[in-house]
Amino acid sequence: MSVNKTYIVAILIGFISLSITAQQPADYVNPFIGTSNYGATYPGPIAPRGMASISPFNVAGSQNKLEKDSQWLSNPYVHENTFLTGFSHVNMSGVGCPELGVLLLMPTTGEVETNHLKYGSTYSNEEAKTAYYSSTIDKYDVKAEFTASTRVGVSKFTFPKGQANVLLNLGLGLTNEEGAMVKVVSSTEIEGMRSVGTFCYNSPEDAYPVYFVAKFSKPADSFGVWKKPETYEGVEAQWMTYNGKTRLMEGTKKMVVGDSIGTYFSYNFKQPETVEVKIGVSYVSIENARENLEKETQNKTFNEVYQETYNAWNEQLSRILVEGGTEDDKTIFYTALYHTLIHPNTLNDFNGEYPEIKTNNIGKTDGTRYTTFSLWDTYRNLHQLMSLVYPKQQSNMIKSMLDMYDENGWLPKWELNSTETFTMVGDPASIVITDTYLKGIQDFDVNKAYEAMLKSADALEDNPLRNGIKNYIEKGYVTTNEKGPVSTTQEYNAADYSISLLADALGKKDDYNRFKKRSISYRKLYDKNLKLLHPRNADGSFYEPFDPNSGANFEENVGFIEGNAWQYAFMVQHDVKGLIKLMGGKKPFVNQLQKVFDINQFDMANEPDIHYPYLFNYIKGEEHRTQKLVDQLIHKYFTNQPAGLPGNDDTGTMSAWLVYSMMGFYPITPGEPVYTITTPVFDEVTISLNPEYYNSKNITITRKKNNNNAIKTIKLNGKTHNSYFVTHDQLVNGKVLEIIQN
Amino acid sequence: MSVNKTYIVAILIGFISLSITAQQPADYVNPFIGTSNYGATYPGPIAPRGMASISPFNVAGSQNKLEKDSQWLSNPYVHENTFLTGFSHVNMSGVGCPELGVLLLMPTTGEVETNHLKYGSTYSNEEAKTAYYSSTIDKYDVKAEFTASTRVGVSKFTFPKGQANVLLNLGLGLTNEEGAMVKVVSSTEIEGMRSVGTFCYNSPEDAYPVYFVAKFSKPADSFGVWKKPETYEGVEAQWMTYNGKTRLMEGTKKMVVGDSIGTYFSYNFKQPETVEVKIGVSYVSIENARENLEKETQNKTFNEVYQETYNAWNEQLSRILVEGGTEDDKTIFYTALYHTLIHPNTLNDFNGEYPEIKTNNIGKTDGTRYTTFSLWDTYRNLHQLMSLVYPKQQSNMIKSMLDMYDENGWLPKWELNSTETFTMVGDPASIVITDTYLKGIQDFDVNKAYEAMLKSADALEDNPLRNGIKNYIEKGYVTTNEKGPVSTTQEYNAADYSISLLADALGKKDDYNRFKKRSISYRKLYDKNLKLLHPRNADGSFYEPFDPNSGANFEENVGFIEGNAWQYAFMVQHDVKGLIKLMGGKKPFVNQLQKVFDINQFDMANEPDIHYPYLFNYIKGEEHRTQKLVDQLIHKYFTNQPAGLPGNDDTGTMSAWLVYSMMGFYPITPGEPVYTITTPVFDEVTISLNPEYYNSKNITITRKKNNNNAIKTIKLNGKTHNSYFVTHDQLVNGKVLEIIQN
């Protein structure tokens, strides 16, 4: 009996240590990736597609290398920075404009100090993992830990003995919008709102509130609100000894509003103690913020919330299992997958309510109302990844877009929290919808979707989505009267191509022909001499003087948006054959494409050219270039480092590029359900397929021989596949895709 | 029969026309009195002791003669000004510091313009009467009419056809506090709050919200919120084309906060139409503001509200009926009485809730919680008038003061909306309480009151009410280390005298002696050479160089608060005999007193010396001087003109002086239930006495012979009264006081 017991204990210990040490997909996530080199991600916790999140906020104060007011800075956290002024509770990941980054919680000790430049501190012992971030606030010797549920940020502060304070700073933030309201409800609760909005400084009239309720695990021994008003300049200012100075309104439970306000909750601890703070948010109302908090986290400890969110992440990330590759390969892969599951994110409250776009009404959904549609970025690959791996989510994203059409009269372009920010150019919603539909995800009202697509494609007047459409339709291109006319023409071509595909699928032959024709009008911008696209003026002449190199590194230029002629020339994936012809055949095409890389004009950091490395697959015998380039780019730009993204993650678009590229295939033409193939980084990749949408349970991609040689053979379900292209149907109805190297 | 009918009709017509033309007391009120010459009253409607009121707001914009930011200005309306920018819904009457004057409603037409300097207008056809104000807004040809119930301002705008707008400007205001929140609830309702506070720039940390709900009689065809943020100065400002500019947020129902925000409700009228707007206010919550609005005015038309408030005023004003005198005499009399019934005003909501002072809790009262206790002013005569004519109100005021003591630990000094503003000097609450108690109004907890009085009288440390108390008790006077040491000493003496009176009444002999002794310590400041009071330094020496004339017209000086040695020398009403002795007898006393007037140092515009004219009554044979002076002062400073007050009304204190003086008697020594007599302006004055407190139903003061000669005989209840002083008991138990001239 005693032997048996020991045996059982040994097994149990083995089991426990196994379950502890076995690396789950969620354990590979390194949230620091992208927190340097303008990746614009943040290391703090968020639930999959969460509304709330927590980021350490270290971009205020001249002590920091990158300071938010001294330069363009679009993220709440920069890894090189050192001076922390709080932890923000609504954040955007991987975007290029400063927005949100508000509701800053900060633990301090001693006398209450409300000036962030004074209460700020360095920090150390940073730890970031899925659903968890912690660091030590040096100045106060406070351990700060954070986790989050979908709509609630949860903080845990371990204070030394003495006076401890938890500041909620409603003034400081990343957004350039100002104004907040706060009301202390009791010694354990605060409610209020913070104005945010005007993403990329567009649509300022749509600035909107984020409502919140904060609950503390321990009643404060004292609390108050601070308010720092603007400096009054009238004659009476001489009597105002407090003019423009911060005031502490001790113990007040009255509503306080202002641009620079906040609350402090203070404790007198006789011994080291912890305080947990839960902050529920909502874009509808304070009541909903409170309900979100209660329904998601009431009676749950910090650790319980953490474990639930960790499990939710692990479940999501485990939809793709990989074998082989280095530990760093797995880390960058799962971190990238994690980054594709942040945006689009949840907008609706626990009860289903959300602010409608434009109508000023409160809508209600049974599913999920998604927001943060950075479509100019994500139409290229992120939604394609969602359709394959998370089709239910993708379906809800399409439904959210169609609801926006119902509310707003237009499909979204760059939607954020039910505001249309009109950021970037093009009309990408049609591409995402077509791509989704043609992949067999069809549980949405496709007729409405088609109607919506046609509306922006055809409206010549008062068309908020397609500026320059008149010239585009009449001349075939947008002229230099508009910003980025070449880029815009190409975007419209891509959208029109998708419309033609959907028209075809819906049996609308006339539309199919019409839009198919429209989709190749970029050819009119082709400049034979340059073998590039060249902007044209309203009178039809080419714009001169024209420098094809001008526009690299986000330099403003006539012709292109965030890029130059090199970076846009091949952004006609739907008409590669046409482009080959324009360029004079396969050889000149390959030469020109290779030249982009040789003269260092390829930009991994922005979307227009990120598919370039895959274009060699169109030329038989040149596919090895794709394989080599993709492999080089993966390892050059994507590393297990804070600077491990090539630039802005663009709400997961760069990460989606990496996920696909590491799996060995890529959705080369947005809208078209086709992937092109390269060498996977992993020996085996298994994607679980959702039985609601797909027949096969899963699809496995294997890499055989596993060396650095070019691909020799591709097999699909054991049979040789004589193409570097595979359709979505082939893939999701298949079982194994074997990629065999020389 | 037919004859009879005609007869009856004739009677009816006679009766109706009589009831229409008969001048009721309320009909004599001219709300324009005090709207010039810094009287600081406003002409708009208010209910007796109302929380809400409406004033035309014409003090913004350089078009105006007196502009609020270009000079010290404490009133929302100045009669000489011409440029109107709205109608404010919470206002203070007759005060010396700019406060409240917010929630500005403004009718406009045409395109919505939100800049008050642009939408502002001249106005004409001003009409102001009890409970009613109207004018024509010239620029828009809109007739604007206003009335109010206790907690609700009611507006009625008659618009021409075309686009009509009702702006609610939450940025502009008289207060120097900034910040507001607003949320459009529906096309007929708005809710929100406006920060106000820091009366006289004191206690800035007590800035507080006034909550409101506005309801419109007609649904707006369109509405929105505007917001003008501060100018952002970071590097990203170059992208903010809207930086610092006003934005219109059309149709938004989201919460908006900011320093410069407002709402517009617009109509497209096919014909001239009226819109009524009701704005309920509360210092507790938006919910209470809504309840106040509904309970007081729901389903009532503008005219019904007006009639109710008119009737309430008439009932109050009719407590004193006058005969004789000119129409102007009656007008200035009833307007003065009206002005004494504005402050202290109601703080509690319809449901009894009010914000407690200091505790941050919400209190609840069954009676009325009063606020706006400008006690440095009102302890001298206003509360004495209330005790005589409105003893129930005075009783509730005392109870409010005692509740403040319960909440705050201290009696009020200068309380406003449950903030202690610590304006002016002295400790006047004890005087008001004693005065009330000794007049037989004793339905309050006198023991608690006595305890509260002793607290501030004796606390040597951390005494917020009596600064300099240590020196005051040790040396007998406050030294030049403190502001206004002579004035402060005199105020403490007056308070201590009242405490001694109450101690006596309560049988506390030791306290009686102690405080009686303390009350004459001003004598140590008497300067024999000057025959005036002279500030003394901490070492006991007189402060030199000393100019007794310095300090007139509110000039700052060492020694006195808002006055000089002449204006304070005789402010020892409780020790006139002692002063006579100090001055060397009756003759030198009379000479010195007369000199104040002769050298033009008497200041009718401020409180310290307003009892001076009555002091001649202390010297037998000199009473004629009192009669002559009072008569002169009444007709010199109090007229049926906008400039018809000598200066700030001081929440009715100047008006109370006038009411008493015109009735022919004056409460000469605050705290002491004694009046001194002069010639009434009216032939007959009848005061209705409240049977809850007094035995006689009413008391009539008659003036016999009615000429300009001095008084020959005074009779009380038909018997010769051989004194120019009459006790409160004698008066309220009497029936007729006859004042017979030569």
Side-chain angles (χ1 to χ4, degrees), chain A residues 537-565:
Chain A
N537 299 316
D539 65 3
S541 62
F542 277 126
Y543 172 83
E544 297 291 354
F546 178 64
D547 174 6
N549 294 337
S550 162
N553 302 314
F554 295 84
E555 184 193 0
E556 268 218 44
N557 68 100
V558 173
F560 303 91
I561 294 291
E562 294 190 356
N564 65 17

Side-chain angles (χ1 to χ4, degrees), chain A residues 212-247:
Chain A
F212 70 89
V213 166
K215 292 203 183 191
F216 291 68
S217 62
K218 292 186 174 131
D221 293 319
S222 62
F223 58 78
V225 177
W226 79 77
K227 177 171 181 175
K228 183 173 185 287
E230 289 298 317
T231 303
Y232 176 79
E233 284 174 358
V235 159
E236 288 150 16
Q238 56 188 294
W239 283 274
M240 295 172 72
T241 52
Y242 58 93
N243 197 7
K245 288 182 189 158
T246 299
R247 290 176 242 165

Side-chain angles (χ1 to χ4, degrees), chain B residues 520-552:
Chain B
I520 53 170
S521 70
Y522 78 93
R523 294 180 187 176
K524 295 196 177 169
L525 296 172
Y526 186 73
D527 181 331
K528 274 186 215 171
N529 300 324
L530 295 170
K531 287 201 171 72
L532 295 169
L533 302 183
H534 189 153
R536 285 174 74 169
N537 299 315
D539 65 2
S541 61
F542 276 127
Y543 172 84
E544 297 291 355
F546 177 64
D547 174 6
N549 294 337
S550 162

Side-chain angles (χ1 to χ4, degrees), chain B residues 432-690:
Chain B
V432 175
I433 294 169
T434 298
D435 194 284
T436 306
Y437 187 81
L438 296 184
K439 280 174 176 157
I441 301 162
Q442 302 183 343
D443 53 349
F444 59 86
D445 185 345
V446 73
N447 293 316
K448 179 189 287 175
Y450 189 71
E451 168 197 303
M453 287 153 71
L454 284 200
K455 186 176 176 189
S456 61
D458 284 336
L460 296 187
E461 304 290 343
D462 300 323
N463 188 331
L465 296 179
R466 292 206 187 193
N467 56 320
I469 188 171
K470 238 174 158 171
N471 279 330
Y472 171 71
I473 287 178
E474 283 169 15
K475 297 183 164 64
Y477 50 85
V478 177
T479 70
T480 51
N481 292 341
E482 304 286 339
K483 252 183 133 179
V486 179
S487 304
T488 305
T489 301
Q490 291 178 268
E491 295 290 353
Y492 292 165
N493 273 194
D496 288 348
Y497 177 69
S498 273
I499 296 174
S500 81
L501 293 181
L502 189 59
D504 194 28
L506 298 178
K508 297 173 192 287
K509 194 136 197 187
D510 288 355
D511 280 351
Y512 165 71
N513 286 324
R514 186 159 71 92
F515 284 97
K516 177 103 180 162
K517 195 176 158 201
R518 271 171 59 162
S519 76
I520 53 170
S521 70
Y522 78 93
R523 294 180 187 176
K524 295 196 177 169
L525 296 172
Y526 186 73
D527 181 331
K528 274 186 215 171
N529 300 324
L530 295 170
K531 287 201 171 72
L532 295 169
L533 302 183
H534 189 153
R536 285 174 74 169
N537 299 315
D539 65 2
S541 61
F542 276 127
Y543 172 84
E544 297 291 355
F546 177 64
D547 174 6
N549 294 337
S550 162
N553 302 316
F554 296 84
E555 184 194 358
E556 268 217 47
N557 69 100
V558 173
F560 303 91
I561 294 290
E562 294 190 356
N564 64 17
W566 295 101
Q567 289 150 10
Y568 270 93
F570 296 87
M571 199 191 86
V572 289
Q573 297 99 300
H574 62 290
D575 188 42
V576 175
K577 281 184 188 161
L579 184 64
I580 290 170
K581 211 170 166 184
L582 279 179
M583 288 189 168
K586 291 180 179 177
K587 184 117 195 151
F589 172 86
V590 169
N591 288 345
Q592 184 76 333
L593 184 59
Q594 184 61 47
K595 190 175 175 188
V596 178
F597 294 92
D598 293 345
I599 66 171
N600 217 16
Q601 282 295 352
F602 175 73
D603 185 1
M604 187 69 238
N606 211 14
E607 277 67 14
D609 62 2
I610 55 175
H611 62 286
Y612 277 23
Y614 287 102
L615 290 178
F616 292 105
N617 276 355
Y618 282 90
I619 310 298
K620 203 167 177 72
E622 303 293 345
E623 301 91 344
H624 62 94
R625 299 201 200 217
T626 289
Q627 295 154 36
K628 198 176 165 190
L629 269 169
V630 169
D631 186 65
Q632 283 173 350
L633 292 168
I634 287 174
H635 292 104
K636 178 173 180 189
Y637 289 106
F638 299 89
T639 61
N640 184 11
Q641 300 288 340
L645 284 178
N648 285 172
D649 193 30
D650 293 330
T651 70
T653 304
M654 288 298 153
S655 288
W657 186 94
L658 184 68
V659 170
Y660 265 126
S661 297
M662 290 183 87
M663 293 197 298
F665 59 108
Y666 193 80
I668 181 67
T669 307
E672 211 168 340
V674 171
Y675 306 96
T676 192
I677 291 167
T678 189
T679 324
V681 166
F682 300 107
D683 297 337
E684 192 171 300
V685 176
T686 303
I687 305 169
S688 296
L689 296 175
N690 185 333

Side-chain angles (χ1 to χ4, degrees), chain B residues 1 8 16 53 117 129 189 191 207 286 311 394 473 496 506 549 649 681 696 709 713 724:
Chain B
M1 286 285 277
I8 289 168
I16 290 166
S53 62
L117 297 176
K129 55 187 186 183
E189 188 172 335
E191 63 178 35
I286 287 169
N311 291 344
Q394 177 61 19
I473 287 178
D496 288 348
L506 298 178
N549 294 337
D649 193 30
V681 166
S696 291
N709 295 341
T713 316
Y724 278 84

